Amino acid sequence: MGDCTPVGLHVGILAIQGAFSEHKISLTKAIKNYQFEKPIKLSLVEVREEENLEGLDGLILPGGESTTMAIFLESNGLTQVLRNWINSDKSRVVWGTCAGLILMSNEIEGKKQGGQSQIGGLDVTTSRNFFGRQLDSFECVLDIKDSKLQENFKDSSQKGVHGVFIRAPAVLSVNSPEVKVLATVSTPSSEKPVIVGVGQRNLIATAFHPELTEDPGWHAYFLRKVLAAKIHS
């Protein structure tokens, strides 16, 4: 018989604004609904200051207003702290949703006047308000491009994997062969599919809000990456 001892995973969620509580619920649901390579004992931490990062195996940067989040991080000295934390240990898995994608992108189109600080790390160019204003929010079926990711959506064969887009960004270009496209969407206004999910080494980013759907498949995917990194580090 294999070792059934649970692996302790410590996951932080940046808790400045946005749906960080919904991320906690989705992570807990993923633990209950999915089988993983090894049993997981999950510990969740709300991150608001540097001390909260200690001992974390993974981190989620949730949605919100990216400029407000960037100003908070910069004024509290956390931009460089997070940048150093992410880069100092590649076994740490970081996932940004919506505003988190913007913060993690190396290049941003449509920055606020005077610029916008960012954490960076993803070799992509992202448009801040690609899909328009709050009134242009929508839901649609995603085209999942990664087979390992697709395996996490148990009940999606008939109804598809849904994305909730709220004043959402999108990836305009992938600027490194290290970046893998995870998901796209097709829209009437775009000649080709729009990139809305990417991964690069230990980084994941989505333009939409998986935490606002009933399906915790994206959170299971994130936890699998955190677990694999923890086991093999």
Side-chain angles (χ1 to χ4, degrees):
M1 296 178 64
D3 184 4
C4 294
T5 304
V7 177
L9 294 187
H10 302 278
V11 172
I13 305 171
L14 187 65
I16 299 171
Q17 60 170 208
F20 56 88
S21 294
E22 286 81 354
H23 273 295
K24 292 170 71 173
I25 293 169
S26 293
L27 288 167
T28 303
K29 186 185 293 185
I31 291 290
K32 291 180 179 178
N33 293 355
Y34 287 79
Q35 286 189 335
F36 295 87
E37 182 181 351
K38 289 181 177 292
I40 294 174
K41 182 179 180 181
L42 183 63
S43 173
L44 297 175
V45 178
E46 293 185 3
V47 175
R48 295 186 179 89
E49 53 190 20
E50 182 175 358
E51 289 75 15
N52 301 143
L53 295 169
E54 185 175 351
L56 294 184
D57 303 303
L59 177 66
I60 295 177
L61 307 178
E65 211 295 308
S66 63
T67 304
T68 301
M69 292 173 70
I71 291 171
F72 177 90
L73 294 174
E74 192 68 21
S75 62
N76 288 275
L78 285 174
T79 305
Q80 189 61 48
V81 166
L82 285 169
R83 191 178 296 135
N84 292 342
W85 184 84
I86 292 169
N87 292 328
S88 64
D89 188 342
K90 298 303 182 183
S91 70
R92 294 165 176 158
V93 180
V94 182
W95 176 20
T97 61
C98 196
L101 162 62
I102 299 170
L103 291 173
M104 291 171 66
S105 300
N106 286 345
E107 302 291 336
I108 301 173
E109 180 183 88
K111 285 185 180 181
K112 291 285 189 179
Q113 188 173 0
Q116 176 176 324
S117 64
Q118 64 223 69
I119 298 167
L122 280 172
D123 288 321
V124 299
T125 300
T126 295
S127 172
R128 288 181 68 251
N129 293 316
F130 183 88
F131 291 106
R133 297 180 175 274
Q134 194 87 3
L135 290 174
D136 300 310
S137 301
F138 64 98
E139 295 185 31
C140 71
V141 175
L142 306 170
D143 185 4
I144 303 299
K145 296 296 184 180
D146 182 82
S147 59
K148 290 291 185 184
L149 172 59
Q150 181 67 59
E151 291 172 1
N152 293 280
F153 298 100
K154 296 180 177 179
D155 303 319
S156 63
S157 57
Q158 298 298 321
K159 60 186 179 181
V161 179
H162 279 259
V164 177
F165 293 79
I166 303 174
R167 199 180 178 189
V171 175
L172 299 180
S173 66
V174 167
N175 305 327
S176 167
E178 287 191 335
V179 178
K180 178 185 292 187
V181 175
L182 300 178
T184 63
V185 295
S186 297
T187 67
S189 59
S190 301
E191 295 181 358
K192 59 182 181 179
V194 180
I195 300 171
V196 294
V198 292
Q200 182 177 4
R201 298 188 304 273
N202 59 324
L203 306 180
I204 310 166
T206 54
F208 47 93
H209 292 265
E211 76 282 4
L212 299 183
T213 69
E214 292 298 317
D215 192 338
W218 282 94
H219 291 80
Y221 177 71
F222 168 74
L223 288 171
R224 290 190 200 284
K225 291 184 74 70
V226 177
L227 178 61
K230 181 73 174 280
I231 292 173
H232 299 114
S233 63

